[in-house]
């Protein structure tokens, strides 16, 4: 699938310390193929590749990322833009009820999504929705919604299949106003194909219901067809948002990637399964991460960027050069690492870390870190700055004060000295290295 292909392509470039223009070109060729194969609109693909290439070549280096990671970040950013950029939320009426009309082809998932959305509004936002059964054509469509309503303990308004959808919508709205419902969600009929008669009927429902949202429910398995469907519905009805369903299945992903770019309609929700809780507000950035299979690696990268303060890093570099690195600095560094979050969680966010063999043996022990902290905090100011004065009697005092053993104190001092040595070597290597953009 799309995700697999993009992931293996990006995997190759991610680890690179140096990225040449040829590397980018080759990667873009593969990204392009992967997108086309996923049935993404070819104009969208062309535009996407152009943007990513422009940004990936000759961009500024973020110090905390390798060039390979930067390219991945560019792909991620552009993919996020393609998917709509910011999250697009449901409109809310100035006074209740907020009216939502569900439209789409038969089998797209309108009725299921009506139930899911009502469930979401009640559970997550604590709002009272009224579900309206306005599909009078499909056999058992009314019953389907009533069953969902029972299952969710939510009211369903229905008048059987002998009354017009316009009349059903009118009566449902009267009831919702009188009984102070927060939302009215109208489940309408679909057809197998775009159909003039259906469109006219939907227009009439729209006219009397005056909906705040017309959500087009689209089956993501249908690829580029979904885009054509979206364009027709939008032209006839003025759609306000899209719900992409069946993203849990073996979808090629083309619909998700083309729909916003071609129709400029925001994707508001994603259906991730048949169950009533399988609806998620659509977050372009998360979707992009999911497609690229990056787990939360970008969150990790961003965290690293904001947590490790630039100024502090400079100061530390200077200390490394001057060899004035103290136990206090050591403590502060540890604090920064900790700010990134629990270490096992941090490892979980790294792609492939879960699959790594022997990771269990590498377990980073939070407890051990707090022991180190305790030991350093039992040192005097002078001891922290000049560890060489720590005599045997001082070691005993520090051990007692921190509740650790003398051996542990010894081990920490040894580690600290090793680290200083390592830093000396590193700062030697860094000397003469210029900062600035990476070009290729
Ligand atoms: P409608 O004709 O547009 O009202 O479509 P339905 O709501 O009746 O859904 C058609 C089929 O798609 C049903 O079997 C649903 O269970 C299924 N379905 C709807 N949404 C999803 C989804 O997000 N994931 C999966 N796997 N199935 C879905
Ligand atoms: Mg239906």
């Amino acid at each position: 699938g799309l995700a697999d292909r993009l992931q293996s392509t990006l995997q190759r470039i991610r680890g690179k310390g140096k990225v040449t223009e040829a590397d980018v070109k080759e990667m873009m060729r593969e990204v392009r193929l992967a997108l086309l194969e996923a049935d993404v609109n070819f104009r969208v693909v062309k535009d996407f590749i152009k943007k990513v290439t422009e940004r990936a070549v000759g961009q500024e280096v973020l110090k905390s990322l390798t060039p390979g990671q930067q390219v991945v970040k560019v792909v991620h950013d552009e993919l996020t833009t393609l998917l709509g950029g910011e999250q697009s939320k449901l409109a809310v009426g100035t006074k209740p009820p907020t009216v939502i009309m569900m439209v789409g082809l038969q089998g797209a998932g309108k009725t299921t999504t009506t139930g899911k959305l009502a469930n979401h509004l009640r559970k997550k936002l604590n709002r009272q929705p009224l579900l309206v059964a306005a599909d009078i054509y499909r056999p058992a469509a009314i019953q389907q919604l009533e069953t969902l309503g029972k299952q969710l303990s939510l009211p369903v308004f229905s008048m059987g299949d002998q009354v017009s959808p316009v009349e059903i919508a009118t009566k449902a709205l009267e009831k919702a106003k009188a009984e102070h419902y927060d939302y009215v969600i109208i489940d309408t009929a679909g057809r197998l194909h775009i159909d003039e008669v259906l469109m006219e009927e939907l227009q009439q429902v729209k006219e009397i219901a005056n909906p705040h949202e017309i959500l087009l429910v689209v089956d993501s398995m249908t690829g580029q067809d979904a885009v054509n469907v979206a364009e027709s519905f939008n032209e006839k009805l003025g759609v306000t948002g899209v719900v992409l369903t069946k993203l849990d299945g073996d979808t090629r992903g083309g619909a998700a990637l083309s729909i916003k770019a071609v129709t400029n309609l925001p994707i508001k929700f994603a259906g991730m399964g048949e169950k009533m809780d399988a609806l998620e507000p659509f977050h372009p950035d998360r979707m992009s991460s999911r497609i690229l299979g990056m787990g939360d690696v970008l969150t990790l990268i961003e965290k690293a960027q904001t947590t490790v303060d630039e100024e502090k890093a400079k100061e530390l570099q200077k200390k490394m050069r001057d060899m004035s690195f103290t136990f206090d600095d050591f403590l502060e560094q540890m604090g920064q690492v900790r700010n990134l979050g629990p270490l096992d969680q941090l490892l979980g966010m790294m792609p492939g870390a879960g699959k790594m063999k022997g990771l269990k043996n590498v377990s980073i022990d939070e407890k051990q870190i707090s022991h180190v902290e305790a030991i350093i905090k039992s040192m005097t100011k002078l001891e922290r700055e000049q560890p060489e004065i720590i005599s045997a009697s001082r070691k005993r005092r520090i051990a007692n004060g921190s509740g650790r053993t003398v051996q542990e104190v010894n081990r920490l001092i040894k580690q600290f000295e090793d680290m200083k040595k390592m830093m000396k070597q590193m700062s030697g290597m860094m000397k003469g290295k210029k900062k600035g953009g990476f070009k290729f």
Side-chain angles (χ1 to χ4, degrees):
L2 174 66
D4 293 334
R5 292 198 54 167
L6 287 179
Q7 281 165 36
S8 66
T9 304
L10 294 185
Q11 198 64 47
R12 256 174 284 144
I13 205 156
R14 182 185 281 148
K16 290 204 175 194
K18 235 179 159 180
V19 178
T20 65
E21 190 161 355
D23 286 335
V24 172
K25 282 236 169 86
E26 192 202 312
M27 183 180 104
M28 285 309 139
R29 237 190 330 269
E30 290 184 39
V31 170
R32 189 174 157 274
L33 278 175
L35 291 172
L36 288 174
E37 219 160 78
D39 206 16
V40 179
N41 181 289
F42 99 93
R43 268 182 220 288
V44 173
V45 174
K46 200 173 156 204
D47 204 43
F48 179 78
I49 297 292
K50 185 162 163 268
K51 276 196 199 134
V52 173
T53 309
E54 269 169 17
R55 281 191 55 197
V57 175
Q59 69 165 336
E60 275 284 301
V61 195
L62 284 166
K63 281 204 205 84
S64 50
L65 302 184
T66 68
Q69 285 171 326
Q70 309 243 1
V71 175
V72 173
K73 190 171 186 312
V74 170
V75 174
H76 179 268
D77 287 352
E78 288 299 330
L79 203 54
T80 303
T81 306
L82 195 62
L83 290 165
E86 293 280 302
Q87 189 205 351
S88 179
K89 295 194 175 154
L90 271 187
V92 182
T94 44
K95 58 177 194 236
T98 294
V99 180
I100 302 173
M101 186 173 160
M102 312 296 286
V103 300
L105 292 185
Q106 190 169 312
K110 291 180 297 300
T111 306
T112 311
T113 306
T114 300
K116 287 178 182 175
L117 189 56
N119 187 37
H120 170 86
L121 292 169
R122 199 218 8 208
K123 269 206 177 142
K124 299 274 156 66
L125 305 178
N126 202 20
R127 294 287 182 269
Q128 267 310 317
L130 178 65
L131 288 68
V132 182
D135 178 358
I136 58 170
Y137 303 105
R138 196 175 183 180
I142 296 172
Q143 198 194 328
Q144 186 191 355
L145 194 64
E146 280 173 343
T147 306
L148 291 178
K150 260 197 209 105
Q151 194 187 318
L152 297 166
S153 305
L154 287 173
V156 173
F157 182 89
S158 65
M159 298 173 78
D161 57 10
Q162 300 300 310
V163 181
S164 79
V166 172
E167 172 131 23
I168 295 170
T170 312
K171 290 275 154 52
L173 275 169
E174 280 169 14
K175 179 183 163 78
K177 275 179 199 147
E179 298 177 17
H180 307 289
Y181 280 93
D182 298 307
Y183 285 86
V184 173
I185 311 178
I186 307 172
D187 180 31
T188 66
R191 296 278 197 277
L192 289 173
H193 304 282
I194 299 288
D195 172 315
E196 283 306 318
V197 180
L198 173 73
M199 286 299 177
E200 248 163 60
E201 188 173 284
L202 292 175
Q203 278 164 354
Q204 287 165 14
V205 174
K206 175 186 173 180
E207 211 156 293
I208 76 101
N210 214 356
H212 302 86
E213 288 273 8
I214 299 184
L215 294 183
L216 175 66
V217 180
V218 171
D219 181 341
S220 61
M221 313 269 285
T222 55
Q224 275 200 69
D225 258 356
V227 178
N228 302 331
V229 167
E231 282 194 303
S232 325
F233 268 92
N234 192 28
E235 206 176 285
K236 295 275 158 50
L237 287 170
V239 171
T240 59
V242 173
V243 179
L244 274 181
T245 62
K246 310 183 195 183
L247 274 173
D248 51 307
D250 185 27
T251 148
R252 288 188 289 174
L257 290 171
S258 316
I259 228 161
K260 171 67 176 58
V262 175
T263 66
N264 206 27
L265 291 171
I267 303 168
K268 298 208 171 179
F269 287 93
M272 309 296 297
E274 299 195 39
K275 296 224 179 82
M276 282 299 106
D277 58 1
L279 183 76
E280 295 175 9
F282 188 81
H283 293 277
D285 57 340
R286 288 186 208 162
M287 185 67 190
S288 165
S289 301
R290 205 179 290 171
I291 290 173
L292 298 179
M294 300 199 284
D296 281 328
V297 70
L298 285 143
T299 316
L300 176 69
I301 290 171
E302 265 148 35
K303 263 189 173 175
Q305 281 170 333
T306 51
T307 310
V308 183
D309 185 80
E310 281 272 333
E311 285 300 306
K312 287 243 175 74
K314 268 191 203 132
E315 204 179 296
L316 209 61
Q317 272 181 14
K318 183 173 172 334
K319 281 186 166 158
M320 278 156 63
R321 273 199 306 277
D322 305 347
M323 290 303 291
S324 59
F325 187 74
T326 69
F327 264 117
D328 277 319
D329 300 322
F330 188 83
L331 203 58
E332 195 183 297
Q333 264 230 312
M334 258 175 24
Q336 288 202 341
V337 170
R338 277 187 137 178
N339 283 343
L340 290 171
L343 288 166
D344 51 344
Q345 196 186 314
L346 211 63
L347 277 175
M349 286 200 269
M350 319 235 273
K355 287 181 218 144
M356 253 154 73
K357 271 189 200 146
L359 192 69
K360 282 183 214 108
N361 309 330
V362 194
S363 81
I364 296 169
D365 194 350
E366 276 280 331
K367 221 192 275 169
Q368 218 165 335
I369 292 186
S370 58
H371 292 171
V372 166
E373 221 164 45
I375 293 171
I376 296 177
K377 284 188 173 149
S378 294
M379 293 177 183
T380 64
K381 195 167 181 313
L382 197 64
E383 286 165 350
R384 292 187 206 187
E385 284 163 8
Q386 297 174 32
E388 55 279 5
I389 68 165
I390 303 177
S391 59
S393 67
R394 281 175 189 264
K395 281 177 192 168
R396 270 197 302 280
R397 195 206 77 245
I398 293 167
N400 279 335
S402 60
R404 310 313 316 166
T405 62
V406 173
Q407 285 94 316
E408 283 174 290
V409 176
N410 275 328
R411 207 182 308 142
L412 175 63
I413 294 174
K414 171 87 169 52
Q415 276 175 351
F416 177 77
E417 271 157 11
D418 287 347
M419 190 162 159
K420 262 179 108 159
K421 251 184 245 155
M422 199 181 72
M423 286 182 157
K424 192 177 174 191
Q425 287 167 358
M426 267 169 45
S427 72
M429 288 189 318
M430 273 173 13
K431 234 175 241 164
K433 216 179 199 179
K434 272 183 255 147
K435 64 168 192 174
F438 78 95
K439 301 245 159 52
F440 36 75

